[in-house]
């Protein structure tokens, strides 16, 4: 059988693209090397419990945001529980900072913890930027520009507000803090750095104002929990795609993509698949290995980031019994002295909802923990128990868990991510933001300017479920713009 589009990988960017294309009546085949769909935004089952694969937070459902646009367009329904407040941050001085979803309440909380000096101006400024960025993102689906049609459609949809955003691409978040006279506030600088690390994968001297302001404000938009885990965000997309007559095939690791006279031949260890078009929903580093086409390789080479510029993750899953129900499910814990072996200075922990008996029986809770591993190819973690204990000690110290309530501990290194997801170096979280890379210099959705495209967290716009959802929208928009 020949498909209209073959999509490589079933991460959320891929599923977004598949749903949008299936909704247009095209015959889609999604090829997934694992046995579960969703990539880094899914869940897996072990010993009767459901653990999150990677991502644990969900945003993007407010007006002008990508996931809201896709759900409205397709009619897909996702079970959701809104979280308020969405997060707490445990700072080095012992303060617990609550990241409220209401801007006014959040500013008062920031002033309480960091002092009143210029906090209001800073957060109002960042929130205005973030609103403009989100509005622009879903209007400018031809961005980044890589052919004449992109320029035409972007100009057609341009507004004065979008033009006003441009200077923010040339400022970094360090400049913004300096402008608001906040760089001397070390507690605040440390807070901003660690918050940017979990949203933009880098620190304030590297992250530009557009991405940085948007990243810092993600708790000021609706945050959700998906009962049963993020697998139940993925399942409605799978059901929509298959009910439209398209397919998803598991255990199909793609080895090569070759252009043919009438499209593409995608080979896996189990056979070949023909299609008119192809979308790679896997990282750029992996995509490069699939194409023998020298032009594609030259185009991609300039965008690739090596391991030393990427982050992996050390992740843990806990089963807890007897813990009090958490009113706030997501917590970031600062570890100023750094964790052993990897040096990471913060831990992120997410708890399953107290009423979610699908992931764990009543009276038990699942906790998902992650921390960054810089240069994952080089950072070998041979003594997992030392790192595990340091993380548990930090969480116990801040009162988030109790040792006697731990029923089970499991952990995974970047090496496990390679085995599990096949992502190069075991890198997760997407490509970090770097100051020298402006938004229009990030890789756009076209691979060969013929019929091959790409989406996911290593191309524009980058990280998070909302970001990869937008990348899937852009890939579809450019495919349709080019060929239909």
């Amino acid at each position: 059988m020949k498909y209209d589009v073959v999509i490589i990988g079933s991460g959320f960017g891929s599923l977004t693209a598949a749903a949008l294309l299936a909704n247009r009546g095209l015959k889609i085949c999604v090829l997934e090397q694992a046995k579960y769909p969703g990539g880094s935004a899914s869940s897996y089952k072990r010993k009767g419990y459901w653990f999150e694969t990677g991502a644990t937070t969900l945003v993007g459902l407010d007006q002008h945001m990508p996931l809201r646009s896709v759900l409205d367009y397709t009619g897909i329904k996702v079970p959701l529980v809104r979280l308020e407040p969405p997060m707490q941050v445990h700072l080095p001085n012992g303060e617990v900072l609550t990241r409220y979803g209401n801007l006014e309440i959040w500013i008062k909380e920031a002033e309480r913890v960091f002092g009143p000096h210029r906090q209001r101006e800073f957060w109002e400024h960042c929130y205005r930027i973030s609103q403009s960025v989100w509005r622009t993102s879903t209007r400018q689906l031809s961005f980044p520009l890589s052919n004449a049609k992109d320029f035409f459609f972007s100009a057609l949809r341009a507004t004065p507000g979008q033009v006003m955003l441009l200077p923010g691409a040339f400022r970094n978040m360090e400049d913004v803090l300096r402008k608001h006279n906040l760089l001397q506030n070390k507690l605040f600088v440390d807070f901003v750095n660690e918050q940017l690390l979990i949203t933009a994968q880098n620190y304030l001297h590297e992250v530009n104002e557009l991405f940085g302001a948007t990243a810092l404000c993600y708790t000021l938009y609706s945050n959700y929990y998906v009962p049963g885990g993020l697998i139940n965000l993925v399942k409605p997309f799978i059901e929509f795609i298959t009910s439209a007559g398209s397919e998803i095939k598991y255990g199909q690791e793609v080895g090569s993509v070759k252009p043919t006279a009438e499209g593409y031949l995608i080979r896996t260890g189990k056979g070949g698949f023909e299609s008119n078009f192809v979308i790679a929903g896997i990282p750029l580093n992996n995509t490069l290995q699939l194409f023998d086409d020298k032009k594609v390789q030259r185009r991609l080479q300039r965008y690739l980031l090596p391991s030393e510029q990427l982050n992996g993750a050390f992740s843990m899953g806990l089963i807890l019994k007897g813990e009090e129900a958490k009113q706030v499910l997501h917590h970031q814990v600062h570890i100023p002295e750094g964790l052993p072996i990897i040096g990471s200075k913060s831990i992120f922990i997410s708890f399953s909802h107290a009423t979610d008996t699908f992931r764990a029986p009543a009276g038990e809770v699942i906790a998902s923990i992650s921390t960054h591993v810089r240069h994952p190819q080089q950072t070998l973690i041979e003594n997992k128990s030392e790192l595990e204990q340091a993380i548990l000690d930090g969480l116990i110290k801040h009162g988030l868990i109790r040792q006697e309530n731990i029923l089970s501990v499991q952990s995974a290194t970047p090496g496990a991510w390679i085995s599990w997801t096949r992502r190069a170096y075991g890198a997760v979280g997407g490509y970090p933001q770097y100051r020298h890379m402006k938004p229009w210099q990030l890789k756009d959705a076209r691979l060969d300017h013929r019929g091959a495209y790409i989406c996911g967290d290593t191309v524009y716009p980058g990280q998070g479920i909302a970001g990869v959802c937008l990348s899937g929208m852009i890939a579809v928009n450019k495919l349709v713009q080019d060929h239909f």
Side-chain angles (χ1 to χ4, degrees):
M1 168 182 273
K2 185 173 184 179
Y3 297 93
D4 292 311
V5 186
V6 163
I7 299 179
I8 304 169
S10 67
F12 201 72
S14 294
L15 295 181
T16 296
L20 293 173
L21 291 169
N23 198 54
R24 294 180 64 91
L26 299 180
K27 181 75 172 179
I28 313 301
C29 181
V30 180
L31 301 176
E32 170 56 53
Q33 59 87 24
K35 63 179 181 179
Y36 288 115
S40 297
S42 189
S43 314
Y44 66 95
K45 192 175 186 179
R46 179 172 292 179
K47 297 181 180 179
Y49 296 86
W50 283 90
F51 297 89
E52 300 292 34
T53 303
T56 58
T57 60
L58 179 61
V59 296
L61 284 151
D62 293 278
Q63 189 179 14
H64 306 302
M65 297 179 89
L67 186 50
R68 170 50 51 206
S69 297
V70 172
L71 296 183
D72 288 346
Y73 181 69
T74 61
I76 294 172
K77 304 293 183 185
V78 178
L80 298 168
V81 175
R82 185 168 178 178
L83 302 179
E84 181 53 42
M87 183 197 296
Q88 287 184 323
V89 181
H90 302 253
L91 298 168
N93 67 352
E95 288 273 11
V96 177
L97 176 74
T98 301
R99 295 226 56 184
Y100 294 103
N102 177 278
L103 177 62
E104 189 61 33
I105 298 173
W106 160 242
I107 289 172
K108 290 178 180 177
E109 174 74 350
E111 290 177 336
R112 178 187 71 83
V113 173
F114 301 118
H117 179 68
R118 306 296 294 275
Q119 287 291 319
R120 175 171 293 279
E121 294 96 317
F122 175 81
W123 289 106
E124 288 179 344
H125 172 76
C126 287
Y127 189 59
R128 282 195 301 272
I129 294 288
S130 73
Q131 287 181 307
S132 294
V133 167
W134 283 122
R135 281 195 298 268
T136 299
S137 69
T138 50
R139 283 182 57 87
Q140 290 290 359
L141 295 179
S142 296
F143 188 84
L145 314 178
S146 63
N147 70 14
K149 280 188 177 180
D150 285 348
F151 280 92
F152 173 76
F153 285 113
S154 290
L156 196 64
R157 297 167 185 148
T159 66
Q162 293 170 14
V163 176
M164 294 292 288
L165 288 174
L166 285 175
F170 296 92
R171 293 188 290 263
N172 62 15
M173 289 307 296
E174 188 173 53
D175 297 329
V176 180
L177 264 71
R178 183 180 294 110
K179 177 183 175 182
H180 289 85
N181 196 24
L182 289 168
L183 280 178
Q184 77 283 1
N185 188 334
K186 185 178 185 306
L187 188 66
F188 183 65
V189 169
D190 290 344
F191 162 76
V192 169
N193 268 328
E194 295 306 315
Q195 287 280 283
L196 286 174
L197 189 60
I198 60 174
T199 47
Q201 298 295 310
N202 220 329
Y203 296 115
L204 56 83
H205 66 284
E206 291 286 3
V207 181
N208 71 56
E209 182 182 31
L210 303 183
F211 280 98
T214 305
L216 288 177
C217 288
Y218 86 95
T219 52
L220 295 173
Y221 295 88
S222 302
N223 281 239
Y224 292 93
Y225 177 86
V226 181
L230 284 175
I231 188 69
N232 287 329
L233 169 66
V234 169
K235 281 180 178 178
F237 277 75
I238 298 295
E239 291 165 3
F240 179 85
I241 293 161
T242 55
S243 67
S246 290
E247 303 173 31
I248 178 165
K249 295 181 181 292
Y250 300 100
Q252 298 278 356
E253 185 171 358
V254 174
S256 67
V257 178
K258 295 185 182 297
T260 66
E262 298 179 348
Y264 295 85
L265 176 62
I266 299 92
R267 291 198 177 277
T268 75
K270 297 180 179 180
F273 298 83
E274 292 183 86
S275 67
N276 295 321
F277 308 102
V278 63
I279 297 176
I282 58 177
L284 279 168
N285 304 69
N286 296 84
T287 299
L288 180 71
Q289 309 306 315
L290 302 183
F291 285 83
D292 290 333
D293 188 320
K294 299 301 181 185
K295 288 183 179 179
V296 173
Q297 292 187 343
R298 283 197 301 270
R299 286 191 183 108
L300 291 188
Q301 199 69 50
R302 60 182 289 225
Y303 296 102
L304 296 187
L305 294 184
S307 173
E308 56 263 34
Q309 292 182 289
L310 301 174
N311 294 304
F314 183 80
S315 57
M316 295 173 64
L318 307 182
I319 303 173
L320 305 169
K321 187 170 185 176
E323 289 279 339
E324 294 182 6
K326 300 291 191 243
Q327 298 303 309
V328 180
L329 299 188
H330 303 303
H331 298 258
Q332 186 184 45
V333 178
H334 286 220
I335 309 292
E337 66 277 14
L339 290 167
I341 305 172
I342 60 175
S344 176
K345 294 189 175 183
S346 64
I347 304 163
F348 194 79
I349 180 169
S350 296
F351 296 94
S352 60
H353 200 282
T355 62
D356 190 352
T357 55
F358 183 81
R359 292 184 63 193
E364 297 182 14
V365 169
I366 300 295
S368 301
I369 302 164
S370 64
T371 189
H372 286 78
V373 178
R374 193 70 173 176
H375 197 344
Q377 186 181 41
Q378 178 178 285
T379 309
L380 301 178
I381 302 172
E382 297 177 345
N383 186 356
K384 290 202 303 182
S385 59
E386 179 185 2
L387 187 50
E388 285 176 351
Q389 194 56 56
I391 289 172
L392 294 176
D393 288 345
L395 297 174
I396 292 167
K397 175 184 175 182
H398 286 273
L400 286 168
I401 63 171
R402 293 193 293 182
Q403 182 73 53
E404 61 270 24
N405 291 344
I406 301 174
L407 295 182
S408 172
V409 179
Q410 59 178 332
S411 62
T413 67
W417 276 95
I418 296 174
S419 300
W420 192 0
T421 66
R422 303 293 193 269
R423 292 176 67 102
Y425 316 122
V428 294
Y431 273 9
Q433 299 295 323
Y434 283 97
R435 186 175 189 178
H436 69 278
M437 287 295 291
K438 309 307 179 196
W440 52 86
Q441 295 174 308
L442 300 177
K443 182 69 189 89
D444 89 307
R446 294 187 184 90
L447 282 174
D448 61 0
H449 289 259
R450 178 175 176 264
Y453 299 82
I454 187 168
C455 63
D457 62 7
T458 62
V459 298
Y460 177 86
Q463 305 82 9
I465 291 175
V468 297
C469 179
L470 180 59
S471 77
M473 294 172 66
I474 291 171
V476 169
N477 181 76
K478 294 200 174 193
L479 190 158
V480 172
Q481 179 179 296
D482 293 346
H483 300 284
F484 293 93

